[in-house]
Amino acid sequence: MTAPEMEAEAIVRAGMIIRGYARDCARLGFDGTILPMWSAFDQANAQQFRDAVQLRSEAYRRNYPDDPYAEQRATNAVVASRQITEMPREECVVLLDLVGSFNDWNAFMRHVRTTKLGQVKTAFKLCPRQRGGGAAR
């Protein structure tokens, strides 16, 4: 993946994880305010999220041309990986603070950098070509 594609992957992953945890917090009765807060942020920044999803999709199609399900498998792995543990109440407290700190896109991007470092850079290699093309390395 190129650097912009890796960033797009991190944006999409961060969003999926936050939404999933927010749903768990509400479902388990810990905190039902996080999901509406996240949804409001998501809607306010819909174009940035759409752009990230599109760039991510293009990268998967280019890097896995013979596998139309590669992107969906990656999505499933992100969503399923956080469902293997019991959701502690403390996670909801932390998530409420985190989502509450997203007063603009730049604040969210500071969080995305942790996702990029912790997940994306370990799962994907940076393509030496900045404009993409060719198979993933």
Side-chain angles (χ1 to χ4, degrees), residues 32-54:
T33 64
I34 304 168
L35 188 56
M37 286 173 55
W38 172 252
S39 293
F41 180 83
D42 187 2
Q43 289 175 5
N45 296 281
Q47 187 60 51
Q48 289 96 317
F49 283 113
R50 278 192 295 271
D51 293 346
V53 167
Q54 181 179 347

Side-chain angles (χ1 to χ4, degrees), residues 73-127:
R73 269 197 307 284
T75 298
N76 292 349
V78 170
V79 173
S81 67
R82 45 154 292 288
Q83 293 176 342
I84 60 173
T85 60
E86 183 64 30
M87 179 76 172
R89 180 178 299 274
E90 294 79 11
E91 290 292 327
C92 296
V93 172
V94 171
L95 186 62
L96 178 61
D97 288 342
L98 177 67
V99 174
S101 75
F102 297 157
N103 52 13
D104 61 19
W105 186 253
N106 289 331
F108 174 68
M109 289 304 294
R110 283 191 291 277
H111 172 70
V112 165
R113 288 185 197 105
T114 64
T115 304
K116 186 175 177 184
L117 287 172
Q119 291 184 16
V120 177
K121 286 188 174 183
T122 59
F124 301 96
K125 292 186 179 179
L126 182 64
C127 178

Side-chain angles (χ1 to χ4, degrees), residues 6-55:
M6 290 179 81
E7 182 174 90
E9 178 74 20
I11 290 167
V12 173
R13 282 177 181 238
M16 286 188 289
I17 292 166
I18 290 169
R19 180 172 302 283
Y21 273 122
R23 285 180 177 152
D24 285 349
C25 291
R27 180 179 54 80
L28 296 172
F30 294 152
D31 192 318
T33 64
I34 304 168
L35 188 56
M37 286 173 55
W38 172 252
S39 293
F41 180 83
D42 187 2
Q43 289 175 5
N45 296 281
Q47 187 60 51
Q48 289 96 317
F49 283 113
R50 278 192 295 271
D51 293 346
V53 167
Q54 181 179 347
L55 185 57

Side-chain angles (χ1 to χ4, degrees), residues 56-74 76:
R56 177 184 190 252
S57 293
E58 291 168 3
Y60 276 94
R61 282 193 301 273
R62 184 190 73 244
N63 289 322
Y64 304 97
D66 298 328
D67 186 356
Y69 304 107
E71 181 180 9
Q72 187 58 53
R73 269 197 307 284
N76 292 349

